[in-house]
Amino acid sequence: MAGETPQLPPARNIPGLGFPADPVTAVLTVDEAVVGENGKLVNKAYQHLIPHYANELPREKHIDSDRPGARSGEDSKFLRSWDDAKGAGWIASHPSSSSKVTSWFNKRVWGSWRLAYLLARLQRDVWANEGNGGREAPKKQESPPREVPKAKAKAKGRPRKSVIPPADLPAATAAAPSKGRTSTGSSSTASATSDDGLGAATAAAAAAVAAAVAASGDAEPDPPAAKRRAASVGGARLSPKAKAKAKAKDLKGRTATVAKARPGAGVGGGVGAGFFSKAGLPLRRL
């Protein structure tokens, strides 16, 4: 092969031939010709012969200028030479009449008419002796394909978050059923438990608010306001907008209740007079 065989040094031309004598090498024989899977010569196996013909003379000084690179009496059957603007050299045609396969050997590539002729002739002889001569070029060892790890499939949709109720929330809120599907058999039981727990928490919150109002000297707020306040206190399930709305209703109801208990002396002292709290502060008119 090209990397294993050293290149031959330039040789002197034989007087009257126009090119040097052929080197003695096995690769120029049919039995040891290096061919590929397609049956054609492997160019790399013959590149070491190029320097040997470096001193070759022009075709006009060859012994047979009509067949440059060939000696007198050498066979040129199924071979032909060409010389045009695209290049020059020898062409080998497959000896089989049913095949139109050819192989071209350019003088500009091989640097010599003689070497181009020798290679074209060798190619013809290899085709003529298919299955009886020549040796295939050693194949490159292909490394086994690497296994590409499969990409992990991405989960579709948003991951569901587990809701853990804070420790300071009332037991009724923590025990309340979460949104979603529930089994048919246990739905009534869960609903009853949630309602009892929420009612107890609401009553406790209402009692606490009533005690705080009584301690301040104000009248006890009406039950609906207390229930709303209790719902806002234990309403971990209410949105900020709902909480604000409940707080506004609570304030409105509480103000009206206190106003009924302690009417103040307005500027005119009549029916349209304003209301004041126990501390003497004016209350907002509804």
Side-chain angles (χ1 to χ4, degrees):
M1 298 295 291
E4 300 174 357
T5 306
Q7 293 186 350
L8 299 179
R12 293 183 180 181
N13 294 326
I14 298 177
L17 287 179
F19 46 82
D22 301 328
V24 179
T25 174
V27 294
L28 290 177
T29 64
V30 175
D31 293 337
E32 295 296 327
V34 183
V35 297
E37 295 180 356
N38 57 358
K40 292 186 177 182
L41 298 178
V42 178
N43 292 343
K44 290 184 178 180
Y46 297 90
Q47 290 178 350
H48 68 285
L49 302 176
I50 294 177
H52 180 80
Y53 296 94
N55 296 325
E56 182 182 279
L57 298 178
R59 65 174 296 175
E60 292 81 9
K61 297 183 179 182
H62 286 199
I63 190 173
D64 188 350
S65 59
D66 294 334
R67 300 189 309 150
R71 295 189 181 191
S72 298
E74 287 184 329
D75 183 17
S76 60
K77 188 177 182 180
F78 298 107
L79 303 177
R80 69 181 187 274
S81 62
W82 97 96
D83 189 353
D84 54 25
K86 296 181 179 181
W90 282 87
I91 304 172
S93 299
H94 200 289
S96 175
S97 58
S98 60
S99 177
K100 297 182 180 180
V101 180
T102 59
S103 186
W104 296 51
F105 299 92
N106 199 321
K107 173 187 175 296
R108 296 179 183 178
V109 175
W110 297 101
S112 165
W113 279 104
R114 179 60 180 174
L115 183 56
Y117 168 79
L118 291 177
L119 295 178
R121 187 179 68 180
L122 178 61
Q123 180 66 77
R124 178 204 63 186
D125 295 341
V126 168
W127 279 334
N129 294 271
E130 285 180 329
N132 299 321
R135 57 187 175 92
E136 292 187 2
K139 299 179 182 180
K140 294 183 179 180
Q141 295 182 355
E142 298 181 357
S143 57
R146 295 183 302 174
E147 294 184 0
V148 181
K150 296 181 179 180
K152 295 182 179 180
K154 296 183 178 179
K156 297 182 178 181
R158 297 182 179 178
R160 299 184 64 182
K161 298 182 180 179
S162 58
V163 180
I164 301 177
D168 56 346
L169 287 179
T173 305
S178 59
K179 294 182 179 180
R181 298 180 179 178
T182 58
S183 61
T184 306
S186 61
S187 60
S188 59
T189 305
S191 176
T193 304
S194 175
D195 292 343
D196 294 343
L198 184 60
T202 304
V209 173
V213 174
S216 63
D218 292 339
E220 183 179 355
D222 60 327
K227 289 184 179 181
R228 288 195 298 270
R229 187 179 297 105
S232 64
V233 172
R237 295 175 296 173
L238 295 179
S239 63
K241 185 176 181 180
K243 288 181 179 181
K245 187 175 181 180
K247 187 175 180 180
K249 290 182 178 181
D250 184 15
L251 181 60
K252 182 177 180 181
R254 183 178 178 184
T255 303
T257 302
V258 174
K260 291 179 181 179
R262 293 181 59 83
V267 179
V271 178
F275 299 98
F276 293 83
S277 66
K278 184 177 180 180
L281 299 176
L283 298 176
R284 186 178 58 179
R285 178 172 298 178
L286 302 179

